[in-house]
Amino acid sequence: MSKGPARKSGIGCYWADLSLPFKGLVLVALPLVILIGSLGSLYIASDAEARAEDDVRRAFAIQRDIYQVHALLAEAASGVRGYLLTDQNRFLEPFYKAERELPLTLARLDDAIEDEGVRLEFERFLEITERKQSGLDALIALARSEGERPARSDAVLSALIANKAVLDELRSQIEEIQRQEGILLDARRARVDTVRARFLALTAISAVVGLLGSLAAVFLFSTGVVRRIRMLQANAEKLQAGDPLNPFPDERDEIGRLAKKVDRASELLRARERDLREGEERFRLVVEGVRDYGIFALDPDGNVTSWNTGAERIKGWRAEEILGRFFGTFYPEETRDYLPREILERARRDGTTEDEGWRMRKDGTRFWANVVVTALRDETGRLRGFAKVTRDMTERKRAEEFLKLAREQAVAASVAKSEFLSRTSHELRTPMSAILGFAQVLELDREELSETHQTSVDQILKAGRHLLSLINDLLDISSIEAGGAELKEEALSINDVLAEAYDLSGPILRTANLDYDLSLLPEDALIMGDRRRIIQVILNLVSNAAKYNREGTSVRITAERVENAVRVHVLDDGTGVKDADISRLFTPFDRLGRQKIKGVEGTGLGLALSKRLVESMGGEIGYTHRTDIPKGADFWFTLGLARAEAAPRKVPSAETSEEQP
């Protein structure tokens, strides 16, 4: 990280460490406080000037109202004299006007006069005014009491003279009030001038202070924010260009912390650039070192722009021979005109595409290739080219073709086997029926034969029936494998089927001296299946248990409900089947070595046939060890439940042996 210059001290350091919100508050508040102070001082000065002007206007109003009182009283006195001379009431109109307007005018004067000296003179003025009004009232009353006369009495003349003296006294009092108000008016005018001069001076001072405050705010903003932001901007440009950053002051505000983060980001960016270069170099070495895959790049038009060792090994071209050429060169002639551009279009549309097919080497030989083409786009989504990975899959292709051929041969062999078994079984069945027929004829004359001949007839019948059972099993298996097995599926009562199978298999268990038990479902259930085939499966499983249960004493048939199916169990308490042999249980002709057991006959087809029959009815068959006793075998199969509305339906089925195995 770049080291900043030496840290400032004092007020500069304190100001630089303050947070940006606080600095912004100071920068905004300083001019605002100066402005508010200036406005406050201007308001005070303006208010003082307004009060002084109000005082001047009030002085003029007092003078006006004083003259108004004098004029009203003078007009009233003149009107009274006219009335005394003519006895006509129209001359009293000024008197009545004075009575109406004098109270209002005197009230205004009383409110307007504030000076104590003028107030004393005003009170004397009020007294004289009242005397004047009383004198005029007295003159009118005296004139009305004397009636209409051509001349007035001495009393009236004396009253007139007295009233004139009062009016003169009032005039003198008005002059005194006007003199004092004039003095006050001059003082108030001088005060207005003084206040106005102070107002102008304060305005000038406020403008200067506001300008200085603004300059101080601009200076603080420039030194605390703008200068460092410009330094930060310069470092950001250097960071963009990958150049070393300029040292930044070690300050603790948001800009200082941001500068430290930029400095840290510069270090991380340089470290990542180093790692990126190293990673690119490692990637180049890896790509160049891969030999099993051809990895190369294409430009947007499909021309080769890079070439690795694997591509050279697989395709045969060296880098200087193929760079700049269209990658369609690798395709055989039958696909070269359309497939390369189609693959590029799919990659351009879907982002990536995969294809397999024949490709050409430099020497003209073909190989089976698996190719993956990926579109390369920049951060704006503009196509910059394609990456192509090619793998030589010729050996796998050959193996697949060999397996396909082997599978086809195996299927053909299986079909041939099934046809052979079916044909052989039919061919053997006719002479075997004849042999059994002749043997049965000989058996009818058994009493006439010697003991040796009777034994021979018994052996012929036993061997013939065994061979016929084998032939029937072979026919059943070949029919099922060929898909021609006939099943008559219908809804069956599982308890009825189990009871019938139990009755039919009873002699087998009695011959083997084994106890035989049957457990039916508590609640009967309907299953879907072929009754004869289900009984055939149960007889096969019971016969299997009777043959190999040499150490046990019993065989039992049980049934249980399992979800939407019924599971039938054929249980014995013999030695069971070894774990290693379980997977071979249902393999045709595989008796798991039990053919060596003395007295046990079998073909190895019973379980295989049972499996195919159960699966053809949509069920499952299997084997598990018994868990309720230490040893024993549990052969089971499941068949699905019939729907309540399902009606019996017939499935085409072929003839089978009339004898049960």
Side-chain angles (χ1 to χ4, degrees), residues 204-253:
I205 293 172
S206 298
V208 173
V209 172
L211 178 61
L212 294 176
S214 300
L215 292 175
V218 169
F219 175 77
L220 292 175
F221 182 74
S222 176
T223 57
V225 179
V226 175
R227 178 181 57 84
R228 294 188 299 143
I229 288 180
R230 288 176 178 171
M231 293 176 62
L232 190 60
Q233 181 181 2
N235 278 348
E237 293 174 352
K238 288 181 175 292
L239 178 63
Q240 183 178 4
D243 298 332
L245 304 187
N246 294 326
F248 201 86
D250 186 16
E251 294 164 347
R252 299 188 180 93
D253 64 347

Side-chain angles (χ1 to χ4, degrees), residues 34-193:
I34 295 174
L35 176 62
I36 292 175
S38 300
L39 292 176
S41 61
L42 293 176
Y43 172 77
I44 294 172
S46 176
D47 184 65
E49 182 181 10
R51 287 199 302 272
E53 290 178 351
D54 288 341
D55 290 342
V56 171
R57 284 193 294 270
R58 189 167 53 251
F60 282 116
I62 291 173
Q63 291 180 355
R64 184 184 64 248
D65 288 339
I66 290 291
Y67 282 119
Q68 179 70 15
V69 171
H70 180 266
L72 288 173
L73 289 177
E75 290 176 357
S78 175
V80 170
R81 285 197 298 273
Y83 173 72
L84 292 176
L85 293 175
T86 62
D87 285 332
Q88 294 181 9
N89 289 329
R90 61 186 179 83
F91 288 100
L92 293 178
E93 183 59 32
F95 174 76
Y96 294 137
K97 178 181 178 182
E99 283 187 336
R100 290 193 308 270
E101 295 182 3
L102 275 176
L104 297 176
T105 305
L106 292 174
R108 286 198 303 271
L109 287 170
D110 186 53
D111 292 335
I113 294 174
E114 295 179 353
D115 186 75
E116 293 296 332
V118 176
R119 169 67 65 177
L120 293 176
E121 298 297 333
F122 175 68
E123 289 177 356
R124 179 170 174 76
F125 172 78
L126 289 176
E127 179 185 352
I128 297 172
T129 301
E130 289 176 358
R131 282 196 287 122
K132 179 62 177 175
Q133 285 179 305
S134 299
L136 293 176
D137 290 338
L139 277 174
I140 294 171
L142 183 60
R144 288 177 177 171
S145 63
E146 291 181 352
E148 296 182 358
R149 295 181 181 177
R152 296 299 179 182
S153 61
D154 294 336
V156 173
L157 294 176
S158 298
L160 284 171
I161 293 171
N163 271 291
K164 184 179 182 306
V166 172
L167 187 60
D168 293 338
E169 185 178 0
L170 180 62
R171 187 179 295 110
S172 299
Q173 188 63 28
I174 287 172
E175 291 176 354
E176 179 61 26
I177 292 174
Q178 292 290 8
R179 185 184 65 79
Q180 292 190 14
E181 278 297 325
I183 295 172
L184 290 175
L185 181 59
D186 293 337
R188 289 170 180 169
R189 285 176 174 172
R191 188 170 63 191
V192 168
D193 294 337

Side-chain angles (χ1 to χ4, degrees), residues 479-491:
S479 177
I480 292 172
E481 288 180 348
E486 294 183 358
L487 297 176
K488 182 181 179 181
E489 291 193 43
E490 57 184 340

Side-chain angles (χ1 to χ4, degrees), residues 77 175 195 250 391 399 573 604:
E175 291 176 354
V195 169
D250 186 16
R391 187 179 182 186
D573 58 353

Side-chain angles (χ1 to χ4, degrees), residues 378-579:
D378 58 19
E379 62 275 4
T380 64
R382 186 167 64 92
L383 181 68
R384 303 301 299 270
F386 301 91
K388 191 169 185 288
V389 179
T390 302
R391 187 179 182 186
D392 186 352
M393 307 295 290
T394 307
E395 294 300 325
R396 191 198 72 178
K397 179 66 174 175
R398 291 173 180 169
E400 288 178 351
E401 291 178 351
F402 176 78
L403 289 176
K404 181 180 179 182
L405 179 61
R407 190 181 303 111
E408 292 174 351
Q409 293 175 348
V411 171
S414 178
V415 172
K417 180 204 71 174
S418 298
E419 292 178 354
F420 170 76
L421 289 176
S422 178
R423 187 179 301 111
T424 302
S425 298
H426 281 289
E427 294 295 331
L428 291 175
R429 192 172 183 179
T430 300
M432 185 55 60
S433 298
I435 292 172
L436 287 175
F438 285 118
Q440 289 171 354
V441 170
L442 291 174
E443 190 179 24
L444 293 176
D445 299 329
R446 181 183 182 87
E447 298 300 332
E448 300 177 1
L449 299 176
S450 64
E451 184 177 350
T452 302
H453 288 164
Q454 289 179 2
T455 303
S456 298
V457 170
D458 290 340
Q459 291 295 328
I460 292 171
L461 288 172
K462 182 178 180 182
R465 290 189 180 103
H466 178 70
L467 287 174
L468 184 60
S469 175
L470 174 60
I471 292 170
N472 288 333
D473 287 346
L474 288 173
L475 283 172
D476 285 340
I477 289 180
S478 61
S479 177
I480 292 172
E481 288 180 348
E486 294 183 358
L487 297 176
K488 182 181 179 181
E489 291 193 43
E490 57 184 340
L492 303 171
S493 166
I494 185 61
N495 284 346
D496 290 347
V497 174
L498 292 179
E500 182 176 352
Y502 178 77
D503 293 338
L504 292 174
S505 58
I508 300 174
L509 274 299
R510 287 193 294 272
T511 302
N513 295 320
L514 294 172
D515 294 334
Y516 196 21
D517 187 22
L518 172 65
S519 297
L520 301 177
L521 284 177
E523 295 182 0
D524 196 7
L526 295 179
I527 60 172
M528 288 299 297
D530 186 313
R531 175 186 289 272
R532 187 165 64 85
R533 295 300 192 180
I534 296 173
I535 293 174
Q536 182 179 354
V537 171
I538 297 174
L539 291 178
N540 282 343
L541 296 179
V542 171
S543 176
N544 189 73
K547 289 177 183 178
Y548 300 108
N549 188 6
R550 295 303 183 90
E551 298 181 3
T553 59
S554 65
V555 175
R556 182 159 58 96
I557 300 177
T558 65
E560 61 176 337
R561 291 282 294 270
V562 181
E563 296 182 352
N564 295 324
V566 172
R567 177 169 291 180
V568 178
H569 298 266
V570 177
L571 309 170
D572 66 65
D573 58 353
T575 57
V577 181
K578 297 179 181 179
D579 291 338

